[in-house]
Amino acid sequence: RGLHEAVQAALSMLLQRGCFLRDLVRIRERDVFTAVSRVLLGRPGLTYKYLGTRLFALPWEAEGSGSGYSDRELSTACQAFEELNCYFCTEVESGMMRDRAKEEEDGAAGQRDSLSSAQADVGTAPFCSRTQLNVTLLNYMDPAQMSYLKEEPYFGMGRMAVSWHHDEGLVPGSPVAVYSYSCGGSADAGSAESVEDGGGWAVGLKVAWDIHTPGLMVPLGSGDCYYMLDDLNTTHQHCVLAGQSARFSSTHRAAECSTGTLGYIQRRSRAALDNLLTDPVSGSKTLHSVEPSALRRCEEIHNEVEFEWLRQYWFQGRRFEKFCSWWSQPMQKLEEAWREMETMTQLALAVVDKEGRLDKKSRREAAEALLPIIAERQELRQLWRTRCQSRLAQTLPADEAPMFHPYWRDHDPSLPLPFDLKTIIQTLESLL
């Protein structure tokens, strides 16, 4: 009961403090707002990417971890979800262990081994990593505030808060654990009283991409938990069916974060900057290697830092900085590394453009390595400009609106190359 009370109080407080916000995501090459308001919590330095938008987790760890929260009330609230996550990890692991034991008792060990081998072939993660839930996506919706909710189209289940989908970006074969809390009245007004029967909310389940096999609708009481174990998230799709009351959920998952952690991108940045040499006396900079493979690797990392991290971060605007400063300094450091990478691109282009250091064949090979990556950089910069200046983006308050950053005008002394790369691309094309 104590955990229920702590989690429910934390959800209500985060809403009252304005932490729940709708995400601007990309579906079928256009930006749309999510119907549900969200905030991501998790282990420090983790991110979760879905529908073209990377969310940066606010840390849920206890005080003393450098969490960066603006006050103790927020820090305590977020810590409640770490406690809930620990509970879910224990429940999920024991549940999966019980399933294994039952299979052995039923004499299905041979079948299980065959299934495990087949799953391993398609990338199922080891058992220990599949049970380590590392983030939670908190959701909130009040149907009374929604002008329109789409009807469930296949089984007549009613209005959908979230349409049929798989949860994406997860460790293969990992579970999802969900805590559901329905509250009467508008929680915005501070009257988030629990609705024991769940206010008519439910979760729908159906076989993936199958509209003929009947679907299943499971009512959700306030304080209920449900789990999607093993490969259920792969073989089936689920939806959330809206009730009459406002509802929160805390959806705990094992985010696939091999390329989605701060530590990962910091290592990648260091690997690129290892190719930059600085004279300790004059301060002049040169490239350690101008081999095409080295240039290609550095420029690919350059693009990854700019488009998967810096622009994704500033696309969120400053919406979470007023609550938690944890990401501010790491992203500042990452931008400093990116600026050094801009210098590295300038040095690479100078080597290709000048006769003398490389013979004609080597210059051509270097240009072939650089051209597709720089062309992609030009294309992605224009895409992010469009996203940040979209009609929907312009409707957001100033502290939530996407920021088109980094952006600079030609001849900016702080950066060695122009923002628009068309002329550079034409020069590289002329060398081929």
Side-chain angles (χ1 to χ4, degrees), residues 69-233:
Y69 282 102
S70 57
D71 59 61
R72 183 166 181 167
E73 187 180 32
L74 280 170
S75 176
T76 301
C78 293
Q79 189 179 341
F81 297 99
E82 184 186 24
E83 296 172 7
L84 179 60
N85 195 72
C86 290
Y87 170 81
F88 278 149
C89 285
T90 301
E91 287 294 298
V92 163
E93 186 167 353
S94 62
M96 294 174 77
M97 292 297 289
R98 284 195 300 270
D99 288 346
R100 284 188 168 190
K102 187 175 186 303
E103 287 178 354
E104 292 175 357
E105 289 173 4
D106 293 343
Q111 293 180 6
R112 187 190 68 248
D113 291 341
S114 298
L115 178 59
S116 296
S117 297
Q119 289 176 332
D121 290 341
V122 297
T124 299
F127 179 78
C128 58
S129 66
R130 286 188 283 134
T131 60
Q132 293 304 304
L133 309 174
N134 51 22
V135 295
T136 180
L137 190 58
L138 305 182
N139 304 294
Y140 172 76
M141 176 188 274
D142 184 351
Q145 297 179 359
M146 303 301 297
S147 59
Y148 171 75
L149 288 176
K150 183 179 178 182
E151 291 287 326
E152 193 284 313
Y154 308 125
F155 310 109
M157 293 180 174
R159 298 183 307 162
M160 296 187 297
V162 182
S163 300
W164 291 109
H165 68 288
H166 303 279
D167 286 343
E168 58 180 276
L170 308 184
V171 172
S174 63
V176 176
V178 181
Y179 182 87
S180 182
Y181 169 48
S182 301
C183 52
S186 173
D188 287 302
S191 58
E193 297 176 0
S194 178
V195 176
E196 295 304 326
D197 65 0
W201 286 82
V203 61
L205 189 70
K206 76 177 186 68
V207 177
W209 313 115
D210 179 354
I211 62 173
H212 302 293
T213 304
L216 179 68
M217 184 171 75
V218 181
L220 295 173
S222 187
D224 279 355
C225 306
Y226 66 91
Y227 304 85
M228 294 186 290
L229 302 180
D230 297 319
D231 60 353
L232 185 66
N233 184 54

